[in-house]
Amino acid sequence: MTCDFAVRLEAVWSRIRAAEARFQRPPGSVRLLAVSKTQPATAIAAAAAAGQYCFGENYLRETLDKMAALAVQGMALEWHFIGPIQANKTRAIAERFAWVHSVDRLKIAERLNAQRPNHLPPLNICLQINISHEPSKHGLEESELPAAARAMAMLPRIRLRGLMAIPAPTLEFAAQRQSFAQVRHLQERLIAAGLQLDVLSMGMSNDLEAAIAEGSTLVRIGAALFGPRA
Ligand SMILES: *Cc1c(COP(=O)(O)O)cnc(C)c1O
């Protein structure tokens, strides 16, 4: 297990470094988030033993169980919530996570802001954009973005770091790039309007190169690290 993970981790880092070089991104400008949804706590412990400390999770209950199982081992892990957020789950998310990538409406940001404990640093958030306009997909529509981002940037207990998107899956590189370029343009417009944003959370196992080509600073990788999900 550990060995498998270490081999996959090195392969993913090779892809990241190759993409940084190919698309003139500074070396080390892309962070790797390991998406550990549905993986047992033992897999996370093995990943940490291989040097991976940041984990993305989609389901709150499952994550709390894994956090409890891993707490005994005393590892300093950084937890990122990346799944759909129901309003009744915001308190636990605000208390237990360092990052939330899937904030898709102001109401959720306001709840996270109100519920972030004072002894913790502000919660890092990314605003999720519905880039492919799929009705089934979560995420804010482009037209709502500027006002929502401005309002979120003023909340003191959260820190709006940038945008997140999950484009409609395609294996065609040019189409992947086009979707990610849209996200980058939206981010650039917010920055031009005065917001301080430094994170573009985009790219998964099948499209990380296209995401890095378009400025991703954080790729969220599941299958390529842990193997295909059941
Ligand atoms: C599952 C998931 C990922 C990882 O996808 P892979 O294709 O397994 O790399 C990334 N981001 C989000 C939001 C996810 O739900």
Side-chain angles (χ1 to χ4, degrees):
M1 269 284 276
T2 309
C3 181
D4 277 3
F5 187 90
V7 169
R8 290 193 181 112
L9 181 62
E10 191 43 48
V12 168
W13 272 119
S14 298
R15 286 175 63 187
I16 293 172
R17 287 192 210 101
E20 284 174 345
R22 177 170 161 207
F23 300 106
Q24 288 90 48
R25 299 287 310 281
S29 55
V30 179
R31 284 184 75 188
L32 171 57
L33 181 68
V35 175
S36 46
K37 63 183 172 208
T38 77
Q39 301 296 331
T42 50
I44 294 174
Q52 176 66 35
Y53 300 104
C54 307
F55 296 93
E57 290 279 353
N58 297 56
Y59 312 107
L60 180 63
R61 173 45 48 203
E62 177 193 321
T63 315
L64 295 178
D65 290 345
K66 287 191 258 188
M67 286 172 170
L70 290 161
V72 277
Q73 305 180 36
M75 285 179 290
L77 305 180
E78 187 177 274
W79 297 96
H80 296 228
F81 194 83
I82 64 174
I85 305 173
Q86 295 156 287
N88 66 351
K89 302 283 170 61
T90 52
R91 181 174 297 281
I93 292 172
E95 288 174 355
R96 303 302 300 275
F97 287 79
W99 285 75
V100 182
H101 294 237
S102 42
V103 175
D104 63 353
R105 53 202 192 276
L106 183 57
K107 178 188 164 195
I108 294 295
E110 287 171 342
R111 290 179 66 94
L112 292 169
N113 177 66
Q115 294 167 338
R116 179 69 166 173
N118 276 321
H119 68 274
L120 295 176
L123 181 65
N124 295 294
I125 69 163
C126 293
L127 225 173
Q128 183 173 354
I129 300 301
N130 184 1
I131 204 69
S132 306
H133 308 292
E134 294 169 277
S136 63
K137 276 276 159 63
H138 297 267
L140 201 74
E141 291 298 328
E142 252 174 73
S143 56
E144 306 169 87
L145 176 61
R150 254 197 317 275
M152 288 181 197
M154 291 183 352
L155 298 172
R157 299 298 299 144
I158 62 176
R159 226 178 118 202
L160 179 62
R161 300 292 296 267
L163 302 181
M164 183 274 237
I166 311 173
T170 166
L171 291 176
E172 205 201 313
F173 188 69
Q176 292 176 347
R177 269 193 82 157
Q178 197 175 24
S179 296
F180 290 130
Q182 280 182 61
V183 186
R184 177 167 55 79
H185 291 141
L186 291 172
Q187 175 112 322
E188 284 167 355
R189 252 184 276 162
L190 294 175
I191 291 171
L195 294 186
Q196 292 185 340
L197 307 176
D198 60 350
V199 173
L200 268 177
S201 170
M202 54 190 202
M204 315 201 301
S205 293
N206 289 330
D207 57 14
L208 73 87
E209 284 83 2
I212 291 172
E214 295 299 341
S216 170
T217 66
L218 182 150
V219 291
R220 308 178 311 272
I221 307 298
L225 286 174
F226 291 102
R229 280 181 293 278

